[in-house]
Amino acid sequence: SGELCCSLPNPKNVHFESINMKNVLHWSAPEGTGDGVLYKVKYLVYGAGKWIRKPECRNISRTWCDLSSETSDYEEQYYASVKAFLNGMCSDWMETTRFNPLTDTKIDPPTVSVSSTEKSISIILTAPEKWKRSPEGESVSLLQVYPGLQYNVSVLNKKTKKRWFFSISNNTLVVPWLEPGTAYCVSAQIHITTPLLHSGFSKEYCIATLNDKTA
Amino acid sequence: LTAGNKIFHFGPCRVSISMTEIRSGFTAIKDNIQARDPIRTLSILSYPHSLHKVKSSDRCCVTHHLFNFYMDKVFKHCKTEDSYINRKISSIANSFLSVKRKLEQCHEQNKCMCGQESTEKFKQILVNYEGLNVTSAAIKSLGELDILLDWM
């Protein structure tokens, strides 16, 4: 196929790194090759007939390639492969394991907004959006991708250091019977049961309940 | 309802499935089993049409067919040299067996009817399976278990 002789060491650790289904192929440079190594990338929809070259990742010197567009259908699974070139020599094609965007992506924490009254705080949670081709593209919440998505919410009384945990399916939570004029900090995590996935906890969002007007 | 179980509603047929147990069992063996399948350009379950194209009215019958398929044609042909992998496979098979029985009951009670399309769909899966030798076909099917689970 006109390929050069393949005696260059292989790229290593070829794998997808995926966050909210932004799927980027990463690899490490072949051992002992120094500067000047170039790479090309191809990918395949598992079960479909052929490998497809990625033109934007042809003869590149960086060691990553964004394949989010090519792997955006999360009902499919994928393989990707990388070959290295240097001074007329080349490596073998080195493949990923089978990549399943639905189960192999990492999920960002939800965004949290809080408001308060004298004796309660209201929490609104928003799941991250699935990666999209362009800002004008249609927004798809991960809630639509994972119908079983739930939120774990932590509420901390800064004065007493008492903490409550809630697990909710809808995206709003009102925590009643709180102390007036007290600071509370809220943090939340996404939890999906099928497939089993969870995000980290968000940073803490703190708010104080209003002072008791009758006091 | 045991922890990790999920109730699946296939029309009038309701089945409790230990989805978390099956998924964690598969996750433990996925890379090992898929690495034993060198054929990238063929799929048993999603060629030429993805399971996601199955009409909701046919979901019960296709699920019933597939659980029978895995019990009769897949698990028993997936013996490996690795006892850990074999234990995980038999644990998944045990979970499948109880679901298969429940779907069988639904079928006997006419709650899991098979339409033309689901029969055609399953025929295609068998054609794909029979296009490979038994061991390769069984290992490929086992490696595609997440395609079935994601679809369910």
mmCIF file of all heavy atoms in Angstrom, chain A residues 94-111:
data_model
loop_
_atom_site.group_PDB
_atom_site.id
_atom_site.type_symbol
_atom_site.label_atom_id
_atom_site.label_comp_id
_atom_site.label_asym_id
_atom_site.label_seq_id
_atom_site.Cartn_x
_atom_site.Cartn_y
_atom_site.Cartn_z
ATOM 1 N N MET A 94 -1.400 1.830 15.972
ATOM 2 C CA MET A 94 -1.674 1.434 17.357
ATOM 3 C C MET A 94 -3.095 1.850 17.734
ATOM 4 O O MET A 94 -3.457 3.034 17.598
ATOM 5 C CB MET A 94 -0.660 2.081 18.316
ATOM 6 C CG MET A 94 0.757 1.589 18.087
ATOM 7 S SD MET A 94 0.856 -0.219 18.203
ATOM 8 C CE MET A 94 0.571 -0.432 19.957
ATOM 9 N N GLU A 95 -3.896 0.888 18.204
ATOM 10 C CA GLU A 95 -5.329 1.119 18.401
ATOM 11 C C GLU A 95 -5.704 1.399 19.847
ATOM 12 O O GLU A 95 -4.998 0.998 20.774
ATOM 13 C CB GLU A 95 -6.096 -0.158 17.997
ATOM 14 C CG GLU A 95 -6.415 -0.280 16.562
ATOM 15 C CD GLU A 95 -7.173 -1.569 16.267
ATOM 16 O OE1 GLU A 95 -7.705 -2.191 17.219
ATOM 17 O OE2 GLU A 95 -7.207 -1.953 15.098
ATOM 18 N N THR A 96 -6.866 2.033 20.019
ATOM 19 C CA THR A 96 -7.485 2.133 21.342
ATOM 20 C C THR A 96 -8.198 0.815 21.639
ATOM 21 O O THR A 96 -8.374 -0.011 20.744
ATOM 22 C CB THR A 96 -8.570 3.230 21.336
ATOM 23 O OG1 THR A 96 -9.587 2.839 20.389
ATOM 24 C CG2 THR A 96 -7.997 4.572 20.946
ATOM 25 N N THR A 97 -8.667 0.680 22.879
ATOM 26 C CA THR A 97 -9.668 -0.351 23.150
ATOM 27 C C THR A 97 -10.996 0.161 22.594
ATOM 28 O O THR A 97 -11.074 1.322 22.157
ATOM 29 C CB THR A 97 -9.817 -0.561 24.680
ATOM 30 O OG1 THR A 97 -10.103 0.704 25.285
ATOM 31 C CG2 THR A 97 -8.544 -1.137 25.282
ATOM 32 N N ARG A 98 -12.017 -0.684 22.591
ATOM 33 C CA ARG A 98 -13.308 -0.242 22.044
ATOM 34 C C ARG A 98 -13.868 0.864 22.926
ATOM 35 O O ARG A 98 -13.934 0.729 24.150
ATOM 36 C CB ARG A 98 -14.284 -1.421 22.002
ATOM 37 C CG ARG A 98 -15.493 -1.173 21.140
ATOM 38 C CD ARG A 98 -16.407 -2.394 21.062
ATOM 39 N NE ARG A 98 -15.691 -3.580 20.589
ATOM 40 C CZ ARG A 98 -16.229 -4.796 20.580
ATOM 41 N NH1 ARG A 98 -17.446 -4.997 21.044
ATOM 42 N NH2 ARG A 98 -15.525 -5.817 20.125
ATOM 43 N N PHE A 99 -14.233 1.978 22.299
ATOM 44 C CA PHE A 99 -14.693 3.162 23.033
ATOM 45 C C PHE A 99 -16.203 3.275 22.945
ATOM 46 O O PHE A 99 -16.777 3.333 21.844
ATOM 47 C CB PHE A 99 -14.023 4.408 22.457
ATOM 48 C CG PHE A 99 -14.505 5.696 23.040
ATOM 49 C CD1 PHE A 99 -14.299 5.985 24.386
ATOM 50 C CD2 PHE A 99 -15.194 6.623 22.263
ATOM 51 C CE1 PHE A 99 -14.746 7.175 24.940
ATOM 52 C CE2 PHE A 99 -15.642 7.822 22.810
ATOM 53 C CZ PHE A 99 -15.418 8.094 24.146
ATOM 54 N N ASN A 100 -16.871 3.319 24.124
ATOM 55 C CA ASN A 100 -18.330 3.451 24.201
ATOM 56 C C ASN A 100 -18.626 4.797 24.859
ATOM 57 O O ASN A 100 -18.498 4.930 26.091
ATOM 58 C CB ASN A 100 -18.900 2.298 25.034
ATOM 59 C CG ASN A 100 -20.414 2.371 25.158
ATOM 60 O OD1 ASN A 100 -21.031 3.360 24.801
ATOM 61 N ND2 ASN A 100 -21.015 1.302 25.643
ATOM 62 N N PRO A 101 -18.974 5.817 24.058
ATOM 63 C CA PRO A 101 -19.150 7.159 24.639
ATOM 64 C C PRO A 101 -20.105 7.175 25.820
ATOM 65 O O PRO A 101 -19.912 7.913 26.781
ATOM 66 C CB PRO A 101 -19.712 7.972 23.470
ATOM 67 C CG PRO A 101 -19.292 7.248 22.247
ATOM 68 C CD PRO A 101 -19.253 5.803 22.612
ATOM 69 N N LEU A 102 -21.127 6.311 25.781
ATOM 70 C CA LEU A 102 -22.166 6.343 26.820
ATOM 71 C C LEU A 102 -21.614 5.923 28.183
ATOM 72 O O LEU A 102 -21.975 6.490 29.216
ATOM 73 C CB LEU A 102 -23.292 5.388 26.426
ATOM 74 C CG LEU A 102 -24.667 5.616 27.053
ATOM 75 C CD1 LEU A 102 -25.248 6.958 26.642
ATOM 76 C CD2 LEU A 102 -25.614 4.500 26.666
ATOM 77 N N THR A 103 -20.705 4.947 28.167
ATOM 78 C CA THR A 103 -20.216 4.446 29.462
ATOM 79 C C THR A 103 -18.811 4.934 29.785
ATOM 80 O O THR A 103 -18.382 4.860 30.925
ATOM 81 C CB THR A 103 -20.172 2.897 29.432
ATOM 82 O OG1 THR A 103 -19.341 2.472 28.340
ATOM 83 C CG2 THR A 103 -21.554 2.316 29.275
ATOM 84 N N ASP A 104 -18.079 5.416 28.770
ATOM 85 C CA ASP A 104 -16.664 5.748 28.978
ATOM 86 C C ASP A 104 -16.409 7.241 29.133
ATOM 87 O O ASP A 104 -15.257 7.665 29.195
ATOM 88 C CB ASP A 104 -15.821 5.207 27.810
ATOM 89 C CG ASP A 104 -15.915 3.692 27.690
ATOM 90 O OD1 ASP A 104 -16.359 3.038 28.674
ATOM 91 O OD2 ASP A 104 -15.601 3.140 26.619
ATOM 92 N N THR A 105 -17.470 8.061 29.117
ATOM 93 C CA THR A 105 -17.241 9.491 29.299
ATOM 94 C C THR A 105 -17.220 9.847 30.794
ATOM 95 O O THR A 105 -17.835 9.123 31.602
ATOM 96 C CB THR A 105 -18.322 10.326 28.581
ATOM 97 O OG1 THR A 105 -17.846 11.661 28.431
ATOM 98 C CG2 THR A 105 -19.646 10.328 29.326
ATOM 99 N N LYS A 106 -16.504 10.945 31.118
ATOM 100 C CA LYS A 106 -16.569 11.458 32.469
ATOM 101 C C LYS A 106 -17.580 12.604 32.494
ATOM 102 O O LYS A 106 -17.782 13.274 31.472
ATOM 103 C CB LYS A 106 -15.196 11.972 32.913
ATOM 104 C CG LYS A 106 -14.198 10.855 33.133
ATOM 105 C CD LYS A 106 -12.943 11.331 33.827
ATOM 106 C CE LYS A 106 -12.041 10.168 34.170
ATOM 107 N NZ LYS A 106 -11.717 9.328 32.969
ATOM 108 N N ILE A 107 -18.205 12.808 33.655
ATOM 109 C CA ILE A 107 -19.274 13.801 33.702
ATOM 110 C C ILE A 107 -18.889 14.915 34.668
ATOM 111 O O ILE A 107 -18.409 14.631 35.779
ATOM 112 C CB ILE A 107 -20.585 13.113 34.127
ATOM 113 C CG1 ILE A 107 -20.968 12.113 33.033
ATOM 114 C CG2 ILE A 107 -21.677 14.129 34.363
ATOM 115 C CD1 ILE A 107 -22.317 11.545 33.153
ATOM 116 N N ASP A 108 -19.032 16.140 34.213
ATOM 117 C CA ASP A 108 -18.759 17.281 35.086
ATOM 118 C C ASP A 108 -19.836 17.387 36.159
ATOM 119 O O ASP A 108 -20.974 16.904 35.957
ATOM 120 C CB ASP A 108 -18.757 18.580 34.254
ATOM 121 C CG ASP A 108 -17.407 18.794 33.582
ATOM 122 O OD1 ASP A 108 -16.402 18.235 34.076
ATOM 123 O OD2 ASP A 108 -17.372 19.507 32.561
ATOM 124 N N PRO A 109 -19.512 18.049 37.298
ATOM 125 C CA PRO A 109 -20.550 18.271 38.319
ATOM 126 C C PRO A 109 -21.649 19.178 37.767
ATOM 127 O O PRO A 109 -21.428 19.910 36.797
ATOM 128 C CB PRO A 109 -19.784 18.964 39.448
ATOM 129 C CG PRO A 109 -18.343 18.760 39.165
ATOM 130 C CD PRO A 109 -18.209 18.582 37.694
ATOM 131 N N PRO A 110 -22.809 19.194 38.408
ATOM 132 C CA PRO A 110 -23.877 20.110 37.984
ATOM 133 C C PRO A 110 -23.530 21.540 38.409
ATOM 134 O O PRO A 110 -22.699 21.736 39.307
ATOM 135 C CB PRO A 110 -25.087 19.602 38.756
ATOM 136 C CG PRO A 110 -24.525 18.941 39.970
ATOM 137 C CD PRO A 110 -23.201 18.371 39.557
ATOM 138 N N THR A 111 -24.152 22.518 37.774
ATOM 139 C CA THR A 111 -24.041 23.878 38.298
ATOM 140 C C THR A 111 -25.137 24.045 39.353
ATOM 141 O O THR A 111 -26.208 23.423 39.241
ATOM 142 C CB THR A 111 -24.220 24.928 37.191
ATOM 143 O OG1 THR A 111 -25.480 24.683 36.579
ATOM 144 C CG2 THR A 111 -23.111 24.839 36.171
#
